[in-house]
Amino acid sequence: MIYSILFWGLFIAGLNEVVKTKTIHYKIKQVPLILAMMILVFFAGLRASNIGLDTMTYRRIFLEIQENPISILHSFRYYNIEYGYALLNILAPGFQWLLFITAIFGVGLKIYISNQLNVKKKAAFLLFYFSSIYVFYDMGIIREGLAISVIFLALPSIKNRNLKKFCFYLLIAMLFHITAILVLPLYFVGNKEFSRKVYYFILLLTIGVTLFVNVATILRWVADFLKNDYITHKLDVYFAQSIYTQIHLSSFIKRIVLLIVFLEIFKHKRLKFGSSRIAIEKREQTEYTWLYINAYYISVLEMILLSFMPIMGTRGTAYLYSCQYFLFCEIINDKRKNILNIIYYLLFALLSYYSLKNTLHHSFGNLYVPYQMFLS
């Protein structure tokens, strides 16, 4: 019930934002954003230790570290957690404090960077964020939730071609989840706009490589060449988990369809539907548009290449995949076509509702519902 209240509250606020064409003063607009951020921080930070994917596992790890203190450098071998998250476990005075700290940084940094990236439709962004990254990562897989926040902070450095700053953020993110390394290709592509032929050719080529080349063997060769215990151990864990999981075909189809939508509405000058008079003009672009599209595009390529390792192919690509929510906000912010903005918003809200419902009720049992606070 509480999830529905938050979803529909954000939905109404987002719809009001899209419908209204009058610009709201910046300082006035910040007040509801700060209030929403505080609600989301407390909602995640004060949840009971049985609420959220992997929260129970994190609680067990926290208690074991408190009872048997170990060196941070041994954290990955004993508990399969990265150094940064191990340090948080050592410093936090209690597990509830750990949840609250991760909520402050996980939620706060994402909303902060959305403001820095000049996302106009703030309530809409909160809706898209709440329905996906927030519930799945910031209330579940909190290590990666923190890493995603840090990667979002790195987006301006990618656009500005600041390699040192980007590497700094990437290393910090990897201290919380090693899969953040999959963001590295985005720096070399940046916000360059390529032709549709290039995008589609590389997509088809990647599918072909996956069908005819043993990517898993190549990955093993690279790990053996590096001779790094940390990387080898993490790969062993992900390969072991791959035995019990797989990526559904529907997930591939959904991502590829969305990719085509993004490319076409930003590349095609005017989309016409048959002989009808209905046409959709190309959406307005910002300085970050192609950075977001390239991020999402690379996430699709990585998902295909790493399909043999579902954890890496799905969660490991979440850093780049999550840039779709920034794209959603750009698409519904076209000043010329308000009716289309509303239609796109309703479609994206529907996708968000499906994502939220899938996480809460279908994928992981009763790990989120009913919501409970730690005092109850």
Side-chain angles (χ1 to χ4, degrees), residues 180-225:
I181 189 63
L182 292 176
V183 175
L184 185 60
L186 181 60
Y187 183 83
F188 300 101
V189 178
N191 59 347
K192 296 177 184 177
E193 178 184 354
F194 301 94
S195 69
R196 290 160 68 238
K197 289 182 180 179
V198 170
Y199 282 113
Y200 289 133
F201 173 75
I202 295 177
L203 176 63
L204 292 174
L205 181 64
T206 303
I207 294 173
V209 167
T210 306
L211 292 174
F212 300 106
V213 177
N214 193 327
V215 181
T217 300
I218 296 175
L219 198 59
R220 281 291 191 188
W221 287 344
V222 172
D224 292 340
F225 175 77

Side-chain angles (χ1 to χ4, degrees), residues 74-359:
H74 294 150
S75 58
F76 75 93
R77 183 168 297 280
Y78 289 104
Y79 301 111
N80 190 34
I81 58 174
E82 288 76 7
Y83 305 139
Y85 183 71
L87 179 62
L88 286 182
N89 278 260
I90 294 172
L91 296 178
F95 183 67
Q96 201 60 51
W97 277 104
L98 179 65
L99 290 183
F100 198 73
I101 292 169
T102 56
I104 291 174
F105 288 100
V107 177
L109 287 178
K110 291 183 184 72
I111 296 177
Y112 166 78
I113 194 60
S114 72
N115 211 35
Q116 296 300 110
L117 293 172
N118 202 24
V119 174
K120 301 294 185 183
K121 306 302 183 185
K122 300 185 186 303
F125 173 77
L126 288 176
L127 174 71
F128 305 143
Y129 161 59
F130 168 75
S131 305
S132 54
I133 312 172
Y134 175 80
V135 174
F136 196 86
Y137 293 102
D138 292 331
M139 286 185 66
I141 312 170
I142 53 179
R143 287 159 47 226
E144 190 163 358
L146 290 169
I148 291 173
S149 294
V150 178
I151 291 301
F152 280 1
L153 289 175
L155 293 177
S157 64
I158 298 175
K159 182 187 74 70
N160 298 327
R161 316 308 301 151
N162 189 330
L163 180 59
K164 290 182 179 179
K165 201 169 183 179
F166 168 74
C167 289
F168 170 77
Y169 283 125
L170 182 62
L171 289 173
I172 295 297
M174 290 173 64
L175 288 176
F176 293 99
H177 213 286
I178 188 65
T179 55
I181 189 63
L182 292 176
V183 175
L184 185 60
L186 181 60
Y187 183 83
F188 300 101
V189 178
N191 59 347
K192 296 177 184 177
E193 178 184 354
F194 301 94
S195 69
R196 290 160 68 238
K197 289 182 180 179
V198 170
Y199 282 113
Y200 289 133
F201 173 75
I202 295 177
L203 176 63
L204 292 174
L205 181 64
T206 303
I207 294 173
V209 167
T210 306
L211 292 174
F212 300 106
V213 177
N214 193 327
V215 181
T217 300
I218 296 175
L219 198 59
R220 281 291 191 188
W221 287 344
V222 172
D224 292 340
F225 175 77
L226 294 175
K227 295 181 180 179
N228 183 286
D229 290 342
Y230 183 63
I231 295 175
T232 302
H233 172 75
K234 296 298 288 189
L235 276 179
D236 288 340
V237 171
Y238 291 134
F239 272 115
Q241 291 173 338
S242 301
I243 300 173
Y244 308 102
T245 56
Q246 63 178 358
I247 303 176
H248 297 292
L249 180 61
S250 59
S251 297
F252 289 106
I253 294 174
K254 177 189 171 185
R255 288 205 189 186
I256 291 175
V257 168
L258 264 181
L259 173 63
I260 294 172
V261 169
F262 293 149
L263 289 175
E264 294 304 319
I265 65 176
F266 281 109
K267 293 291 280 185
H268 234 297
K269 291 184 178 179
R270 191 176 179 85
L271 290 174
K272 293 184 179 179
F273 296 88
S275 59
S276 67
R277 295 181 180 180
I278 301 175
I280 300 177
E281 294 182 357
K282 184 169 66 173
R283 300 267 93 184
E284 291 181 343
Q285 300 179 20
T286 70
E287 58 184 346
Y288 280 98
T289 298
W290 288 100
L291 178 63
Y292 299 147
I293 291 177
N294 290 336
Y296 186 83
Y297 179 74
I298 293 171
S299 81
V300 174
L301 300 183
E302 290 180 342
M303 184 184 189
I304 294 170
L305 287 172
L306 298 172
S307 56
F308 63 91
M309 192 186 295
I311 298 296
M312 290 284 281
T314 53
R315 299 181 191 176
T317 61
Y319 311 93
L320 300 177
Y321 168 77
S322 298
C323 286
Q324 69 172 316
Y325 305 115
F326 295 122
L327 265 178
F328 286 174
C329 292
E330 291 207 354
I331 291 171
I332 63 176
N333 191 47
D334 196 308
K335 297 175 183 178
R336 302 166 300 177
K337 297 286 185 179
N338 199 45
I339 297 298
L340 268 181
N341 291 345
I342 296 172
I343 293 172
Y344 278 126
Y345 175 73
L346 294 176
L347 288 174
F348 296 150
L350 184 62
L351 282 175
S352 299
Y353 180 77
Y354 171 78
S355 176
L356 177 64
K357 185 178 179 182
N358 188 55
T359 300

